[in-house]
């Protein structure tokens, strides 16, 4: 596509450092967007390890050096949490969002027909935490779809009602997705078990896109999506799927948008 007119040699550090504004205009990407685009291109060039490693190394150094200086306080992130019962877990989930170092967020709770008492949840509601009944029908897909329609943040993230985020999850992921110009960003995550000390670290490092989706290990609690995606109603969870609805949506998104991997447990 656009980058094919450049020689492979130019994809090394010198190309990234010296690329002109006119060339960026031709490519149709911002400077930050170029890095994400190169990730997408070079995931397919792993057999040429020198080019691949040089490019990825340079991009990582660039992102790390700029991340701390980036102010994202004015960028709003919507968080959608569907729930059905398990209120004690939900309260812990809400608490992990309230502790986020990035304070510009809204929390959209979708009650999917809970039979347990939710008075404790109602007491937490305010201008930032809002509670809705699932008017789209029963099921996590319809609940998430309702949340996507309600959300108005610059970016959107999902969290299951029995999952937790580290305190800097939103801040770190938000800076990464902005610096790369990606449309969707996903991270590693840790799977823990209630009845044991066992922890399973789920990482996608050095895997290509096709393997990621085939393995279906990508968790929606690790994903952040830009507004230009989630406000397009073509991208919604399929309610007729009982399993795999999240993988189906990701495959759909991956055809038209830049997806970026942030190699960190959050």
């Amino acid at each position: 596509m656009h980058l094919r007119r450049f020689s492979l040699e130019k994809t090394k550090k010198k190309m990234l450092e010296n690329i002109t504004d006119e060339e960026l205009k031709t490519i149709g990407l911002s400077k930050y967007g170029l890095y994400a685009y190169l990730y997408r291109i070079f995931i397919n060039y792993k057999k040429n390890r020198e080019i691949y490693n040089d490019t990825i190394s340079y991009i990582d150094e660039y992102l790390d050096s700029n991340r701390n200086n980036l102010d994202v306080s004015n960028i709003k992130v919507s968080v959608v949490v569907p729930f059905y019962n398990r209120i004690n877990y939900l309260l812990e989930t809400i608490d992990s969002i309230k502790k986020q170092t990035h304070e510009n967020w809204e929390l959209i709770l979708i009650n999917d027909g809970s039979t347990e008492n939710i008075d404790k949840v109602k007491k937490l509601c305010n201008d930032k935490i809002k509670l809705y009944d699932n008017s789209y029908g029963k099921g996590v897909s319809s609940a998430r779809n309702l949340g996507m329609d309600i959300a108005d943040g610059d970016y959107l993230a999902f969290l299951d009602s029995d999952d937790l985020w580290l305190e800097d999850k939103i801040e770190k992921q938000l800076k990464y997705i902005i610096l790369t110009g990606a449309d969707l960003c996903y991270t590693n995550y840790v799977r823990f078990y209630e009845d044991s000390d066992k922890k399973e670290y789920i990482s996608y490092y050095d895997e290509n896109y096709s393997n990621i989706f085939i393995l279906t290990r990508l968790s929606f609690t690790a994903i952040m999506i830009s507004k230009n995606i989630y406000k397009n109603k073509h991208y919604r969870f399929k309610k007729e799927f009982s399993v795999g609805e999240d993988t189906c949506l990701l495959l759909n998104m991956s055809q038209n948008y830049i997806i970026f991997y942030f190699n960190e447990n959050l």
Side-chain angles (χ1 to χ4, degrees):
M1 197 172 138
H2 301 297
L3 282 183
R4 301 203 184 277
R5 71 185 184 88
F6 298 110
S7 68
L8 288 179
E9 188 64 26
K10 275 195 169 185
T11 59
K12 291 188 178 183
K13 295 182 181 180
K14 193 170 183 179
M15 171 199 165
L16 291 171
E17 291 169 347
N18 298 332
I19 189 167
T20 66
D21 291 339
E22 188 61 33
E23 286 175 317
L24 286 171
K25 190 174 180 181
T26 301
I27 295 171
L29 296 168
S30 67
K31 182 71 177 289
Y32 293 147
L34 175 62
Y35 300 115
Y37 191 62
L38 283 173
Y39 259 117
R40 195 176 189 181
I41 293 251
F42 278 87
I43 207 76
N44 298 317
Y45 282 96
K46 286 191 174 182
K47 55 187 176 183
N48 193 326
R49 299 304 299 189
E50 181 184 0
I51 294 176
Y52 179 82
N53 290 336
D54 278 356
T55 304
I56 299 305
S57 176
Y58 179 83
I59 295 170
D60 284 341
E61 290 173 11
Y62 173 83
L63 294 175
D64 288 340
S65 65
N66 283 274
R67 187 168 59 184
N68 292 334
N69 299 322
L70 182 63
D71 181 11
V72 294
S73 60
N74 65 327
I75 298 176
K76 183 178 180 179
V77 176
S78 298
V79 183
V80 174
V81 178
F83 71 93
Y84 174 75
N85 292 332
R86 300 189 299 180
I87 302 304
N88 289 337
Y89 290 152
L90 174 63
L91 295 174
E92 293 181 19
T93 298
I94 294 172
D95 192 52
S96 80
I97 298 171
K98 291 172 66 177
K99 290 179 179 178
Q100 290 296 304
T101 55
H102 182 77
E103 298 179 352
N104 192 355
W105 50 261
E106 67 169 351
L107 173 56
I108 299 169
L109 301 170
I110 308 295
N111 180 12
D112 195 24
S114 295
T115 57
E116 295 179 7
N117 188 306
I118 63 170
D119 286 346
K120 289 183 179 179
V121 178
K122 291 179 178 179
K123 288 179 181 179
L124 295 174
C125 293
N126 52 37
D127 290 342
K128 295 182 69 172
I129 302 176
K130 300 171 185 177
L131 175 64
Y132 300 87
D133 289 326
N134 185 5
S135 59
Y136 281 14
K138 185 76 173 173
V140 66
S141 290
S142 61
R144 284 173 172 168
N145 289 342
L146 175 59
M148 294 172 80
D149 288 345
I150 294 170
D152 69 350
D154 301 292
Y155 292 88
L156 174 71
F158 295 95
L159 185 58
D160 288 344
S161 61
D162 59 347
D163 287 341
L164 305 172
W165 281 342
L166 297 183
E167 293 182 3
D168 55 359
K169 190 267 187 189
I170 292 179
E171 181 181 0
K172 281 187 173 181
Q173 191 171 18
L174 184 58
K175 286 183 176 182
Y176 233 74
I177 197 171
I178 290 172
L179 283 172
T180 59
D183 302 296
L184 185 152
C185 175
Y186 63 96
T187 70
N188 302 330
Y189 65 96
V190 180
R191 184 177 292 149
F192 60 92
Y193 299 85
E194 183 181 26
D195 54 354
S196 75
D197 294 330
K198 178 183 176 182
K199 291 183 179 180
E200 185 180 358
Y201 292 85
I202 308 299
S203 172
Y204 307 101
Y205 184 70
D206 211 30
E207 293 185 29
N208 62 47
Y209 287 107
S210 59
N211 282 340
I212 289 171
F213 290 123
I214 289 172
L215 290 170
T216 66
R217 295 189 299 161
L218 206 58
S219 169
F220 249 84
T221 64
I223 287 173
M224 185 174 287
I225 305 172
S226 65
K227 193 170 189 175
N228 64 313
I229 298 182
Y230 84 79
K231 280 306 179 185
N232 183 341
K233 292 199 174 184
H234 174 68
Y235 300 105
R236 290 295 183 266
F237 296 91
K238 293 187 178 298
K239 294 186 287 186
E240 61 270 26
F241 285 16
S242 58
V243 293
E245 72 286 342
D246 46 1
T247 304
C248 180
L249 180 58
L250 286 169
L251 285 169
N252 196 9
M253 290 176 177
S254 70
Q255 297 179 52
N256 300 302
Y257 292 99
I258 296 174
I259 297 179
F260 189 89
Y261 167 52
F262 181 17
N263 184 24
E264 192 163 330
N265 294 312
L266 295 174

